[in-house]
Amino acid sequence: MKRLFAFSTLIALLHFSAVQAQDPWKISTTQINPANYYGITVANGMIGIVSSPEPFKVKEVVLAGAYDQYGRGRVSNFLRSFNLLNMQLGIDGRNISGADTKNMKQELDMKKASFTCSFDYADKATITYTYYSLRQLPFTVLMDVSITAKKDLLMNSASVMEAPDALKDVQNYYNEIDRPHVTIGLLTSSAKSPTGKLLMCASNTFLFSEQHGAEPRVIHEMWDNNMHLMKFNKQIKAGQTYRFSIAGSSITSAHHDDPLNEAERMTLFAKLEGRERLLSFHEKAWDKLWKSDIQIEGDDQAQQDVHSMMYHLYSFTREGTDLSPSPMGLSGLGYNGHVFWDTELWMYPAILVLHPEMAKSMVEYRFQRLGAAKKNAFNHGYKGAMFPWESAATGVEETPVWALSGPFEHHITACVGIAAWNYYCVTQDKEWLREKGWPILKETADFWASRVERNGEGLYEINNVVAADEWAENVNNNAWTNASAKAVLQFATNAAGILGVSANADWMQVAKNIPILKMENGVTREHATYNGEGIKQGDVNLLAYPLKEVNDPKQIRKDLEYYETRVPNEGTPAMTQAIFALLYARLGDGEKAHHFFQDAYLPNLNPPLRVIAETKGGTNPYFATGAGGILQSVMMGFGGLEITPTGITQIKSALPKRWKKLTITGVGIENKTFTVK
């Protein structure tokens, strides 16, 4: 019955998709129901802004790298930052609320990374606002507002700075800087994180369209300790359009030694750059990102959805940092903002192929926390480095104690090693390999050499783990754990050869003796006591991709046909069907691949802007992990891209019948183009 329900739901979604010709770059809606609304994120890899159904409101602002220990699980959690774009807008003395609006439309422009909301207010005005998380300025955002008057009216606007509930010791400031060429009013707040560990700061200012001296007079009001605002009034004549902007910056002591002054300095910088320059640099930065693109001919909805997945991964990562995205990226506080295998195995490969410079930040995150991983291995009686299942600011284990994955889900250490090797494979950067890749590979290989239990030839076993299929806890010889450990031992040996350094001969001895189990029917066994149970997510099938542990097409198909029937319709994440899609495309079965491509995300979409949740019918978007897996199904599955020790190549694959052509541009360090017809 459950399968029938899921199938009928999928058919309904497909019908909905088929009857609309979708814009490849814009997701828009007029169906805005606050009771069934899931926000979409505008982000620049550092600061994320989540939309709200209420006009001039933002659901939340999230800063990458800002954690404190509070709330769930006695572990570090992402912190909400000051909501520096919340506004009040009034017409003739009445502040506008959602109930006052007509013809509201919201739109995400993925090409320009902007979110726009427009509506009519009574018979008096048409109002539009657009906000951006500026790509060129990691801690700075911009909101544009325009009011077209239908009658003569008095507009009053206020920028409201309010502290999230979890913050304490809130301090509010208003400074006015007067120069001959400009007057700048700075609305600024600071507060301490729940334990006092971090100082969080935000500041914003108005950007007016009038010449200096003619701009409106700004007034500051203090409401209470947690909220203050700055406001102005403006008479607008019928038929006139008036425009102004708000620029703001938010930063913490996790990012800068003097966040209070720096927040104001960055806001001053944005003010004096001016709206046009800010938007010009922002759009140029996104144009550069979109040179790495995926183009699907013949399926407008798939094209739009794939662009949305790419947009979100681009939005959640940033070149030149040592930060790495959590499963929900910068879309909220999901999974406490922690970093899991979701990064290395699911999001990272797509970003690595399209933007190696951004993927480098994700590997740098692990390199900078290698010392903490070595201490973790020592604590558990192992050698080398043992990366935590959940990681935050420092790289120590951040999994809540009640979850067994912290002490036992060891395959994360293999995922980190594989990611380091793949970065070298794509970039061929030997200097990076020597300085950063080799230390990661050496320490992760040393971990696995110490982790195995040497019970005889062919029986260097890895016992008592949580499998990649997390419903299998404290099992022996898990397929993915064993195979990924073998891969790291081999990759570390390969890296040593490239660098001309000595590899530990024991690594390959161990790799040759780690068992991969089979069942009586010839299917690869998920773990030693596996007997056909339902699985939460892909495990065995990962041995064919991203590994090549299983490479015989007949065995790949046998494993696929067995495990695809073991996935329930509820409670399982989107990546599993993505791997099925990828492998079927490589086996030449484009239609079955297309089925799993759609099943991976269509039932997971939430209104009104098609944001992906973790599971079918789930309500925790945006699930960047799933987006990464689905993009891999497109690029490495339908597109046939393959990461090899000498770079990116293309193998044979199959497209769905309705896809006329697939083109992937800006691939790797040479910005190659690959096509499948």
Side-chain angles (χ1 to χ4, degrees):
M1 184 61 72
K2 283 184 178 179
R3 283 203 173 275
L4 181 61
F5 171 78
F7 182 73
S8 63
T9 303
L10 184 58
I11 291 298
L13 284 163
L14 292 175
H15 175 71
F16 174 78
S17 302
V19 297
Q20 301 186 51
Q22 298 299 333
D23 188 308
W25 293 109
K26 295 179 180 178
I27 305 173
S28 60
T29 184
T30 56
Q31 305 300 312
I32 300 165
N33 175 11
N36 192 28
Y37 182 96
Y38 299 87
I40 204 158
T41 307
V42 169
N44 63 6
M46 188 64 72
I47 185 167
I49 310 164
V50 185
S51 70
S52 165
E54 189 70 16
F56 297 109
K57 295 292 183 287
V58 170
K59 182 185 176 187
E60 55 196 355
V61 177
V62 180
L63 270 173
Y67 298 91
D68 197 13
Q69 192 173 102
Y70 75 106
R72 172 178 169 268
R74 298 201 316 260
V75 294
S76 292
N77 285 253
F78 253 177
L79 291 161
R80 284 187 175 89
S81 184
F82 287 96
N83 209 329
L84 70 171
L85 286 185
N86 268 358
M87 272 186 52
Q88 296 170 355
L89 190 85
I91 302 293
D92 294 335
R94 176 187 170 92
N95 281 342
I96 298 170
S97 70
D100 301 318
T101 66
K102 294 180 180 178
N103 306 317
M104 183 181 277
K105 178 182 178 181
Q106 291 187 345
E107 182 173 271
L108 175 73
D109 185 330
M110 297 176 284
K111 187 86 169 173
K112 296 181 178 179
S114 64
F115 177 85
T116 299
C117 180
S118 61
F119 58 88
D120 293 321
Y121 173 66
D123 59 350
K124 297 186 176 182
T126 296
I127 298 165
T128 301
Y129 62 92
T130 302
Y131 57 75
Y132 311 80
S133 188
L134 295 170
R135 189 76 198 190
Q136 77 276 24
L137 299 175
F139 299 99
T140 303
V141 298
L142 178 74
M143 178 185 278
D144 262 341
V145 183
S146 69
I147 302 99
T148 300
K150 299 177 182 178
K151 298 179 177 180
D152 291 357
L153 57 83
L154 175 65
M155 184 271 295
N156 58 279
S157 179
S159 176
V160 182
M161 190 81 76
E162 187 172 8
D165 291 340
L167 302 187
K168 64 180 189 177
D169 298 339
V170 180
Q171 301 292 319
N172 295 319
Y173 310 88
Y174 183 74
N175 298 311
E176 197 163 279
I177 299 171
D178 201 0
R179 292 287 190 274
H181 64 297
V182 68
T183 300
I184 308 169
L186 290 171
L187 186 74
T188 305
S189 291
S190 70
K192 291 182 179 178
S193 62
T195 70
K197 172 185 169 184
L198 294 184
L199 182 64
M200 307 192 71
C201 305
S203 181
N204 69 20
T205 190
F206 287 120
L207 281 66
F208 293 115
S209 51
E210 294 92 339
Q211 293 293 318
H212 177 52
E215 65 265 54
R217 177 169 172 259
V218 176
I219 299 170
H220 177 245
E221 287 185 1
M222 186 78 73
W223 283 28
D224 57 40
N225 287 340
N226 286 335
M227 188 172 88
H228 64 141
L229 58 82
M230 59 181 179
K231 65 181 185 179
F232 72 94
N233 296 329
K234 181 72 177 181
Q235 292 280 352
I236 309 176
K237 299 255 182 216
Q240 180 184 357
T241 296
Y242 181 71
R243 192 194 73 221
F244 67 95
S245 305
I246 296 172
S249 302
S250 184
I251 193 168
T252 80
S253 54
H255 309 97
H256 196 277
D257 290 342
D258 182 12
L260 178 59
N261 286 323
E262 190 67 8
E264 293 194 335
R265 290 187 194 104
M266 290 188 297
T267 299
L268 284 168
F269 181 82
K271 167 82 171 183
L272 292 173
E273 279 281 89
R275 173 187 178 273
E276 285 72 22
R277 281 174 60 82
L278 290 174
L279 291 181
S280 174
F281 287 127
H282 168 79
E283 290 176 11
K284 285 176 182 175
W286 272 94
D287 285 344
K288 183 179 178 182
L289 288 178
W290 283 119
K291 287 180 180 177
S292 296
D293 191 15
I294 298 171
Q295 297 153 18
I296 300 168
E297 293 183 21
D299 190 338
D300 292 342
Q301 186 61 67
Q303 175 68 87
Q304 185 194 69
D305 291 337
V306 164
H307 273 162
S308 180
M309 295 170 204
M310 297 176 70
Y311 160 81
H312 280 90
L313 289 194
Y314 288 177
S315 295
F316 295 159
T317 51
R318 189 173 185 89
E319 180 182 358
T321 74
D322 66 344
L323 298 174
S324 199
S326 75
M328 303 307 178
L330 295 173
S331 70
L333 310 187
Y335 285 108
N336 298 349
H338 291 173
V339 180
F340 299 71
W341 77 316
D342 301 55
T343 302
E344 279 77 20
L345 206 73
W346 301 105
M347 293 181 256
Y348 172 81
I351 296 172
L352 175 62
V353 166
L354 295 168
H355 282 288
E357 74 283 0
M358 292 202 295
K360 188 176 185 179
S361 294
M362 299 158 82
V363 191
E364 183 70 15
Y365 172 84
R366 297 297 189 181
F367 176 76
Q368 292 295 335
R369 291 153 183 83
L370 187 58
K374 291 171 74 172
K375 289 180 180 178
N376 194 30
F378 176 82
N379 291 352
H380 288 81
Y382 304 125
K383 294 180 180 178
M386 175 181 170
F387 283 91
W389 178 243
E390 298 189 30
S391 183
T394 65
V396 302
E397 182 61 73
E398 298 272 11
T399 305
V401 171
W402 49 261
L404 299 184
S405 47
F408 294 105
E409 199 154 355
H410 297 168
H411 68 84
I412 178 65
T413 295
C415 296
V416 172
I418 292 167
W421 174 246
N422 281 339
Y423 181 78
Y424 167 74
C425 290
V426 168
T427 65
Q428 299 293 298
D429 187 340
K430 288 186 182 179
E431 183 179 349
W432 178 90
L433 182 64
R434 187 179 302 277
E435 292 181 3
K436 298 187 175 180
W438 170 247
I440 293 172
L441 285 161
K442 176 187 178 299
E443 299 298 341
T444 52
D446 281 347
F447 168 78
W448 289 112
S450 72
R451 177 64 179 83
V452 297
E453 299 173 27
R454 305 185 187 214
N455 297 321
E457 187 176 348
L459 289 174
Y460 283 26
E461 299 177 294
I462 304 175
N463 294 327
N464 199 20
V465 298
V466 172
D469 165 21
E470 290 173 316
W471 289 345
E473 296 181 326
N474 300 100
V475 298
N476 297 338
N477 291 321
N478 165 241
W480 168 252
T481 303
N482 285 21
S484 60
K486 286 181 65 174
V488 168
L489 292 160
Q490 292 162 355
F491 295 158
T493 303
N494 294 346
I498 291 166
L499 296 173
V501 299
S502 296
N504 185 341
D506 189 46
W507 293 344
M508 288 308 294
Q509 172 68 16
V510 173
K512 291 173 184 175
N513 284 286
I514 294 176
I516 304 297
L517 307 182
K518 291 281 188 74
M519 294 191 284
E520 291 180 2
N521 59 6
V523 170
T524 305
R525 185 170 231 137
E526 188 185 88
H527 55 81
T529 51
Y530 180 78
N531 195 28
E533 299 86 355
I535 62 172
K536 178 183 176 184
Q537 57 210 53
D539 191 308
V540 163
N541 306 106
L542 299 173
L543 275 60
Y545 175 91
L547 305 182
K548 298 179 180 66
E549 179 66 35
V550 175
N551 52 35
D552 174 22
K554 291 181 180 178
Q555 185 66 49
I556 294 170
R557 185 177 291 275
K558 183 188 286 280
D559 290 346
L560 270 173
E561 290 176 348
Y562 182 86
Y563 284 103
E564 73 182 55
T565 66
R566 265 65 186 177
V567 183
N569 285 313
E570 297 175 0
T572 61
M575 310 94 73
T576 306
Q577 287 84 356
I579 282 297
F580 294 162
L582 187 156
L583 292 174
Y584 273 119
R586 288 185 163 202
L587 289 173
D589 193 337
E591 292 311 294
K592 198 157 189 181
H594 188 243
H595 162 77
F596 282 114
F597 165 77
Q598 293 185 311
D599 193 41
Y601 78 96
L602 287 180
N604 303 49
L605 295 177
N606 276 296
L609 295 161
R610 299 179 73 84
V611 291
I612 300 175
E614 183 173 7
T615 60
K616 293 176 171 66
T619 57
N620 62 341
Y622 184 87
F623 191 47
T625 309
I630 296 157
L631 288 177
Q632 288 186 71
S633 77
V634 176
M635 293 191 294
M636 286 76 153
F638 297 123
L641 299 190
E642 181 87 321
I643 296 173
T644 76
T646 56
I648 299 169
T649 61
Q650 188 175 31
I651 62 173
K652 190 175 181 181
S653 60
L655 293 182
K657 289 179 181 176
R658 66 181 297 189
W659 291 17
K660 296 180 176 64
K661 185 179 178 183
L662 175 67
T663 304
I664 307 169
T665 62
V667 172
I669 58 172
E670 296 175 334
N671 295 310
K672 291 182 178 179
T673 295
F674 292 90
T675 302
V676 182
K677 295 182 180 180

